[in-house]
Amino acid sequence: MVNYPNGKKTYNKPLISSGNRGMDLEESINITNEYYRNNNIAIIYKKPTPIKLVKMDYEKAKIVEAYFQQPSTTDYNGVYKGYYIDFEAKETNNATSFPLANIHAHQIEHLKSVLEHKGIAFIIVSFRKKEEVYVLPAQIVIQFYEAGARKSIPYQTFVEQGFKIKEGYALRLDYLKIIDENFIKNFNK
Amino acid sequence: MVNYPNGKKTYNKPLISSGNRGMDLEESINITNEYYRNNNIAIIYKKPTPIKLVKMDYEKAKIVEAYFQQPSTTDYNGVYKGYYIDFEAKETNNATSFPLANIHAHQIEHLKSVLEHKGIAFIIVSFRKKEEVYVLPAQIVIQFYEAGARKSIPYQTFVEQGFKIKEGYALRLDYLKIIDENFIKNFNK
């Protein structure tokens, strides 16, 4: 299971639709994070995908053999209003549920640790066919993962316990608005 | 100016001495962060070095041409007691000062932004010849950088305004002890 630089598998290309303006989730989040940085709202970055370096051409400072590795943490982290922010973003073509196989065991462990250390942790899931993107608190993801009985989180759980992100133009996916209104408000430091 | 995976230039190999047990700074910090994670103290990771991918062999999922890129942020970040932690770590063979050329302009900007967003930001500098490692608050680094007159931070500034890290065995470089006692205590959230 090898990830390519955009964090997706080759056999899992994003659908292009007029509704989401041909942008995939990662691109939308990157643009949003750039907006947050440029407007002095938050400092959140996508971490580079780790590689396993096998061979270098040192003369040319060129990597000639390497492989993408599975990250041991989530893809995004940073700081917002003094809070540590940490999340994973995933797309699914499934219309009725989000398959938990999209999130690896070590990422679940990481999200749990972030919560223990009083960070704000969540996942962002794009239901492509519905053209809807949700924030779901890590607590809920962990509950489903640990319940073990089912291998996916129903779409309905996102509707009821998650928060739909309003899409915009310059501010593509203003997920921090949700964090502000639903996470920080009730946050005990 | 190309960085190799360990974040150092090839012409800048760490000195091996009995005093620091042959470990370079990055290795020591990685071991320390592992200790912090395993003992449920903090979640702090080194970010992978970003690469510019030029060519892939998709059949074999192999990177066949790529180059290391200069990171736009610092090397380490994470969460400790709910605080966002962000720092850069550097070694120097210079005994009397730390050359500011070691920290890039965009890294200074990043440290400033972290402070603005109420994160805890600092640098860790290892003076190899003295076998001493210091934490220096980002505020001081920024001051020196912006004063512009001098191209380095005197060793004496580290002694007077920084905090020497006590070296240990399992807990190689307990820098969070310093953060606890000198940063968080007076931190206004």
Side-chain angles (χ1 to χ4, degrees):
Chain A
M1 190 119 87
V2 174
N3 289 298
Y4 290 107
N6 60 359
K8 290 185 295 294
K9 284 101 201 162
T10 38
Y11 51 80
N12 195 15
K13 284 274 174 203
L15 293 177
I16 309 273
S17 81
S18 58
N20 62 20
R21 287 162 217 124
M23 254 185 220
D24 67 8
L25 181 62
E26 181 178 325
E27 205 177 340
S28 294
I29 293 176
N30 288 345
I31 288 170
T32 303
N33 287 342
E34 213 179 311
Y35 182 96
Y36 287 151
R37 291 197 301 270
N38 293 343
N39 291 277
N40 213 22
I41 293 165
I43 306 295
I44 297 168
Y45 280 94
K46 180 174 191 298
K47 295 177 210 163
T49 308
I51 60 162
K52 182 179 166 57
L53 181 66
V54 176
K55 211 172 148 191
M56 285 255 355
D57 176 343
Y58 284 101
E59 291 263 313
K60 295 178 185 159
K62 183 164 93 172
I63 299 164
V64 291
E65 187 180 352
Y67 302 87
F68 285 108
Q69 286 186 306
Q70 210 163 79
S72 45
T73 65
T74 47
D75 272 353
Y76 301 87
N77 76 354
V79 60
Y80 175 56
K81 294 185 177 175
Y83 293 96
Y84 174 75
I85 302 290
D86 195 301
F87 64 98
E88 183 65 21
K90 294 288 178 193
E91 297 181 88
T92 182
N93 284 325
N94 200 313
T96 55
S97 70
F98 172 69
L100 276 169
N102 282 302
I103 312 272
H104 303 293
H106 47 248
Q107 291 180 316
I108 299 283
E109 283 312 307
H110 177 75
L111 290 170
K112 275 177 81 167
S113 298
V114 169
L115 291 178
E116 275 170 36
H117 293 283
K118 298 183 184 162
I120 292 178
F122 52 95
I123 62 170
I124 293 181
V125 173
S126 165
F127 286 93
R128 281 186 202 142
K129 287 186 180 156
K130 294 186 183 284
E131 293 180 4
E132 293 176 355
V133 184
Y134 288 87
V135 167
L136 192 69
Q139 288 87 340
I140 296 167
V141 184
I142 294 162
Q143 267 169 34
F144 271 88
Y145 193 87
E146 295 187 340
R150 54 164 61 239
K151 295 268 175 282
S152 62
I153 304 174
Y155 167 74
Q156 207 51 36
T157 301
F158 286 85
V159 174
E160 287 163 14
Q161 297 183 266
F163 306 93
K164 192 170 160 184
I165 309 177
K166 200 171 156 278
E167 299 195 35
Y169 185 70
L171 192 43
R172 276 291 296 156
L173 284 174
D174 190 8
Y175 62 88
L176 286 181
K177 189 176 193 302
I178 286 164
I179 302 310
D180 235 9
E181 293 170 359
N182 302 285
F183 287 62
I184 291 178
K185 221 189 257 169
N186 310 309
F187 205 82
N188 298 311
K189 198 92 188 185
Chain B
M1 190 120 87
V2 175
N3 290 298
Y4 291 108
N6 61 358
K8 289 185 295 296
K9 284 100 200 163
T10 37
Y11 51 80
N12 194 15
K13 283 273 173 203
L15 292 177
I16 309 272
S17 80
S18 60
N20 63 17
R21 286 163 216 122
M23 255 186 217
D24 68 8
L25 182 62
E26 181 178 324
E27 205 176 339
S28 295
I29 293 175
N30 288 346
I31 288 170
T32 304
N33 286 342
E34 212 179 311
Y35 182 95
Y36 288 150
R37 291 196 301 270
N38 292 343
N39 291 277
N40 213 21
I41 294 165
I43 305 295
I44 296 168
Y45 280 94
K46 181 175 189 298
K47 294 177 211 163
T49 307
I51 60 163
K52 183 179 166 54
L53 181 66
V54 177
K55 210 172 148 191
M56 285 257 352
D57 177 343
Y58 284 101
E59 291 263 313
K60 294 177 184 159
K62 183 164 92 173
I63 299 164
V64 290
E65 187 180 351
Y67 302 87
F68 285 108
Q69 285 185 306
Q70 210 162 79
S72 46
T73 65
T74 47
D75 272 353
Y76 301 88
N77 76 354
V79 60
Y80 175 55
K81 293 185 177 175
Y83 293 96
Y84 174 75
I85 303 290
D86 194 301
F87 65 98
E88 183 67 20
K90 293 288 177 191
E91 296 182 89
T92 182
N93 285 325
N94 199 312
T96 55
S97 71
F98 172 69
L100 277 168
N102 281 301
I103 312 271
H104 303 293
H106 47 250
Q107 292 182 315
I108 299 283
E109 283 312 307
H110 177 75
L111 290 170
K112 275 177 81 167
S113 297
V114 169
L115 292 177
E116 275 169 37
H117 293 284
K118 299 185 182 160
I120 291 178
F122 52 94
I123 61 170
I124 293 181
V125 174
S126 165
F127 287 93
R128 281 185 202 145
K129 287 186 179 155
K130 293 185 182 287
E131 293 179 4
E132 291 174 358
V133 184
Y134 288 88
V135 167
L136 192 68
Q139 288 87 339
I140 296 167
V141 184
I142 294 162
Q143 265 168 36
F144 271 89
Y145 193 86
E146 294 187 340
R150 55 162 62 238
K151 295 267 175 283
S152 63
I153 304 175
Y155 167 73
Q156 207 51 36
T157 300
F158 286 85
V159 174
E160 287 164 11
Q161 297 182 265
F163 307 94
K164 192 169 160 184
I165 308 178
K166 202 172 157 279
E167 301 194 34
Y169 185 69
L171 191 43
R172 275 291 295 154
L173 284 175
D174 189 9
Y175 61 87
L176 287 181
K177 190 178 192 302
I178 286 164
I179 301 311
D180 235 9
E181 293 171 359
N182 302 284
F183 287 62
I184 290 178
K185 223 190 256 172
N186 311 307
F187 206 81
N188 299 311
K189 199 91 188 186

